Amino acid sequence: MAVRSGDDREGFFGGAPGPGDDHARAEAVIAGLRGARPEEIPGRLCAALVELLPVSGASVSLRSDAVPVRISASDEAASYLAELQATVGEGPGALAARLGATVLACDLTAGRDPQRWPVFAHQATAAGVAAVYSLPLGVDALCVGTLDLYRGTPGKLTERQLRTARRAAWLLTEALVTLPWEAGGERGDEPWVVGLAADHDEINQAVGMIMAQLGADAAEALARLRGHAFVLGRTVLDVARDIVARRMRFDGDL
């Protein structure tokens, strides 16, 4: 699944940068969120970042004890890259979530980055991605997820571009922390983010079915699910759907 390369857009939506450009960028992103329902904010920010920065895709994932929960992506390619990190259990996003710090993988094709994440780097470059920039979402030491940016060519983001990405991460954190319930809802209503994480329910259900089939605990069942997905060259979510649909069983060694 190829991902197109981003160009070097320094200015706002392709314009030349100038005095106050950082402020203009932030104002434009915020303006694009006015009137948005909480569940629309991650998608709108992902789309805005693809326009604002020299990246080809963006995704938002929540941290989880099992696999990260993708709640938004700018396109199918970005969705695949998020699911790939969840499947192999490594990558810039996984490290950013663990450290609560920005992780910049500027060249997955050579040097240090492919040595840090050999499996992810191999799969990502095969999909046409050469650089990933992962920013934590959270307050202080509490990291609740990551904003991941992808592009098809190696290279660094400028300080100006990183500031824009960090502003977006801050806006996402605000949405996740201060808008946890449906607009106008009361405590006890379903959190708005649940609807965006529906795919994750299939993974949990598949893990439960593997536990029953193998008599295994949750950790072993998840490891088997991940390992089988990797062997097949598929994502955890794809294989989970087959298990839930009873097209696949784990009654014996696979």
Side-chain angles (χ1 to χ4, degrees), residues 29 53 135 159 252:
V29 171
L53 301 175
L135 296 90
E159 285 302 317

Side-chain angles (χ1 to χ4, degrees), residues 61-203:
S61 298
L62 299 184
R63 191 175 184 182
S64 166
D65 290 337
V67 297
V69 183
R70 175 187 49 77
I71 63 170
S72 188
S74 59
D75 56 23
E76 289 186 5
S79 178
Y80 170 76
L81 267 295
E83 295 295 341
L84 175 61
Q85 292 198 74
T87 298
V88 300
E90 67 174 34
L95 182 58
R98 187 164 67 251
L99 298 179
T102 299
V103 175
L104 306 176
C106 300
D107 189 355
L108 293 172
T109 67
R112 182 184 178 213
D113 289 338
Q115 295 175 6
R116 298 169 81 186
W117 309 291
V119 177
F120 172 74
H122 176 75
Q123 299 287 346
T125 54
V129 170
V132 181
Y133 317 106
S134 298
L135 296 90
L137 307 176
V139 178
D140 297 326
L142 175 64
C143 179
V144 298
T146 60
L147 166 64
D148 298 307
L149 307 174
Y150 312 97
R151 82 179 195 182
T153 55
K156 298 180 179 180
L157 295 180
T158 66
E159 285 302 317
R160 182 192 301 272
Q161 292 161 350
L162 277 174
R163 283 195 297 270
T164 297
R166 288 185 173 119
R167 283 192 177 91
W170 177 81
L171 288 170
L172 281 167
T173 297
E174 285 289 295
L176 292 169
V177 172
T178 66
L179 300 173
W181 312 103
E182 292 286 358
E186 301 292 336
R187 285 281 174 178
D189 287 351
E190 184 176 85
W192 61 265
V193 76
V194 168
L196 300 180
D199 288 344
H200 197 68
D201 292 340
E202 294 179 282
I203 295 176

Side-chain angles (χ1 to χ4, degrees), residues 2-66:
V3 178
R4 65 178 175 83
S5 300
D7 58 0
D8 290 328
R9 286 167 285 185
E10 279 280 358
F12 186 64
F13 286 103
D21 188 60
D22 285 343
H23 179 71
R25 286 166 178 260
E27 284 300 310
V29 171
I30 293 171
L33 299 179
R34 292 192 179 106
R37 297 190 301 273
E39 65 270 20
E40 295 175 330
I41 291 174
R44 289 197 184 188
L45 278 173
C46 284
L49 288 168
V50 173
E51 295 294 329
L52 288 167
L53 301 175
V55 299
S56 53
S59 66
V60 180
S61 298
L62 299 184
R63 191 175 184 182
S64 166
D65 290 337

